[in-house]
Amino acid sequence: MKYRGWILPPALRDFYEGRIWLKEHSPFPKDHIERVIEYDYFHIIEGIQKEPHLKCNRCHNQDPWQFTMFDCSKCEQSCIYCRHCLQMGRVSSCTELLIWIGPRAIRSRKHPLKWAGQFTVLQQRAAKEILESIKAKRSHLLAAVCGAGKTELLFPSVHYALEQGLRVCIATPRTDVVLELFPRFQTAFPSTIIHALYGEAPKQQGYAQLVLATTHQLYRFEQAFDVMIVDEADAFPYIIDETLQRAVKKAKKKDSPIVFVTATPSQKLLHQYRNNSYSFIPKRYHNYPLPVPRFCSLWSYEKCFKRGKIPAKLKQWTEERLVQNEPFLIFFPKVELMKIAAPLQNSIHKNY
Ligand SMILES: [Zn+2]
Ligand SMILES: [Zn+2]
């Protein structure tokens, strides 16, 4: 063996464990990668498999319309590439994908939780139910209204998993959610290496036992996580993109549970989980229930406003709010209409 006695850089192992990565996109020197290949620490697979049908081995896209044939300068043949995950670097037939099968990264079991908040009775129950599901390796649905403190509810489960030496991923379809969650988890778990992964994310050091990522970034993982949490499980584009849903499944280990967290569970999720692993919080953290909207018609309001009058029904409703000293919001579908209505509404306010 050419590289006998060579010592594997821990940073390389820490980066690659759980990832599926283009060989040519390595953030490490080429000769290091060659050494690791000689040590058989990588399982190498082709980028696009042709049999039994076309499939991108990174993003698992199988839609024949999302592949393009081109004259490849690298292999000097007709090559096929996957358009579906193109923005993460082109995967084509002659691409080699690296999957780490070398020594495992060192996982810590010490992850102190620094969170001093208190749960309401409902939150406490939901947090306990999620934890029980995680312990039993059972997938779980948490349906909680906005403002129910969903993130904090996850702390006990994440804490338990980390201290078991497990690797946890919190995935969400939205980058802004990753950016919002990152500092909150960093504060709650100050001794834990946490990575936040999204498009254009800076390079982060060490082996992250807790990963916060957009669902898109999960294309780059394979059987990596022992616990998968999908936040905003009904947000676009995750809800309509089957490949993203497959990415979540592929990024976790086969028997790892998924916790779906959402304010608006789809019928499909409810149907799947309502009767077994399901927590529901209809109240926000301050314990006021979320008002349930009620439909009241207000016909021809636009005409009425344009004639310089507030529709009688709306006028009465506004007066009731003012008498009861209740805050309220009136939403207009058009800015121009709002400009007409605002002074009229203000004239009612003057009387109170
Ligand atoms: Zn792909
Ligand atoms: Zn090629």
Side-chain angles (χ1 to χ4, degrees), residues 142-145 150 232-235 239 261-267 269-270:
L142 165 65
V145 298
K150 290 196 282 280
E232 304 280 342
D234 287 289
I239 186 72
V261 180
T262 175
T264 50
S266 62
Q267 283 306 316
L269 277 177
L270 279 173

Side-chain angles (χ1 to χ4, degrees), residues 116-250:
Q118 279 219 320
F119 285 139
T120 63
V121 175
L122 280 175
Q123 283 176 320
Q124 183 70 51
R125 193 174 72 197
K128 196 167 153 253
E129 286 166 351
I130 300 165
L131 180 59
E132 277 164 10
S133 285
I134 297 279
K135 285 182 178 172
K137 292 195 166 192
R138 196 171 55 217
S139 290
H140 194 99
L141 170 63
L142 165 65
V145 298
C146 294
K150 290 196 282 280
T151 306
E152 289 74 15
L153 288 183
L154 300 172
F155 287 165
S157 295
V158 171
H159 185 225
Y160 164 82
L162 292 172
E163 297 223 311
Q164 294 293 307
L166 302 177
R167 195 178 200 191
V168 181
C169 176
I170 301 173
T172 164
R174 293 163 47 194
T175 300
D176 59 321
V177 177
V178 174
L179 294 172
E180 191 229 306
L181 293 181
F182 190 37
R184 290 168 71 187
F185 275 91
Q186 277 179 316
T187 309
F189 297 95
S191 309
T192 305
I193 299 178
I194 309 174
H195 286 179
L197 305 178
Y198 49 92
E200 312 293 312
K203 202 179 164 219
Q204 295 154 86
Q205 304 295 330
Y207 176 76
Q209 220 171 301
L210 176 58
V211 171
L212 312 181
T214 56
T215 35
H216 269 102
Q217 294 297 321
L218 297 186
Y219 291 143
R220 291 169 153 164
F221 286 88
E222 190 140 316
Q223 298 206 32
F225 300 104
D226 305 289
V227 174
M228 176 66 78
I229 297 168
V230 183
D231 196 10
E232 304 280 342
D234 287 289
F236 181 82
Y238 177 79
I239 186 72
I240 58 147
D241 190 339
E242 268 182 41
T243 47
L244 279 179
Q245 294 169 25
R246 279 205 292 265
V248 166
K249 288 207 181 95
K250 145 186 128 84

Side-chain angles (χ1 to χ4, degrees), residues 53-104:
H53 45 72
L54 271 182
K55 180 183 168 192
C56 169
N57 275 328
R58 178 171 62 183
C59 74
H60 287 197
N61 162 37
Q62 298 179 37
D63 175 0
W65 299 103
Q66 297 226 47
F67 292 98
T68 300
M69 199 176 268
F70 70 113
D71 289 326
C72 177
S73 59
K74 222 170 66 195
C75 64
E76 297 180 335
Q77 286 181 35
S78 277
C79 227
I80 297 166
Y81 74 89
C82 170
R83 284 205 314 277
H84 186 260
C85 61
L86 185 61
Q87 67 192 59
M88 301 181 129
R90 189 170 68 195
V91 172
S92 55
S93 327
C94 65
T95 302
E96 289 178 298
L97 293 170
L98 306 178
I99 298 169
W100 184 258
I101 48 168
R104 276 177 54 139

